[in-house]
Amino acid sequence: MLILLPPSESKTGRTRGRPVAHEHLSFPELAPTRQAVAEAVAKVSAHPDAAATLGVSANLTAEIARNLVLHTAPALPASRVYSGVLYDALAYADLDPAAKRRANRWVVVVSALYGAVRPTDAIAPYRLSMAVNLPGVGPLASAWKPELTAVLPEVAGRGVVVDCRSSTYAAAWTPTGDLADRWVQVRVPGATHMAKHTRGLVARELCQVGRDVRRVRDLATVLEQSFDVELTPPGKAGRPWILDAAARR
């Protein structure tokens, strides 16, 4: 099974520690693109108009400055760097050992800077969205798409792809072929802020239950123990199943 998560806008760092060791990150095939994106975003972030190019508020100078030290900043596991509503709900640190091992195998965060990382990968905090058209690289979703197409299908194997990404990050990789038949997007009807929370709970539930689901309908069966779920088949070939989920109070 493959559980796809978006990164968080808010990221946690630390003041001491070793920098990112790119050779130790998951998916080493992504190293050339990771390097190109890191160099390009550092160059952009040194300019006075960096905020406009990166599509962020001009008062986020401290976060933009993180992009200048990506090769020297102390690295932390992605499970600690990414914070916010979804990651609070996932509560990776509180998973029992078996569930944590499953999360380390199944969960992949799609990142504008790193392409794809697992919870245990030590990364540096940064400020960059997949929606950015990065000078020297181009639209990031387009830049990452062929790279992720080369590595993510193997991670999914014969399991279901549980897609908890936002549309911005979903643009960076779309399952195709037989894998598209096992692709399901998690949707939270009528929710905005709580959608992230619910998707985090879904990811946590799957890691705790520990069933490597091979069919989308079996995924709904697993989740209906803790959620109100409704499953909608794809409208046409190549489109995902939609799983509407609402956590029970």
Side-chain angles (χ1 to χ4, degrees), residues 22 30-40 71 113:
H22 287 272
L30 303 180
T33 304
R34 287 167 171 160
Q35 182 70 23
V37 173
E39 291 176 357
H71 297 301
L113 177 60

Side-chain angles (χ1 to χ4, degrees), residues 229-245:
V229 300
E230 182 177 346
L231 189 62
T232 303
K236 60 181 179 179
R239 298 300 301 159
W241 293 72
I242 301 296
L243 182 78
D244 289 325

Side-chain angles (χ1 to χ4, degrees), residues 2 4 9 17 40 43 45 50 52 73 86 124 127 129 132 134 157 168-169 175 178 192 200 215 225 228 238:
L2 173 59
L4 294 171
E9 289 188 359
K43 185 175 180 180
S45 299
L86 188 152
R127 186 71 190 208
S129 166
V132 170
L134 189 63
T168 298
Y169 287 85
D178 292 342
T192 52
R215 300 190 309 167
Q225 305 304 312
D228 294 324

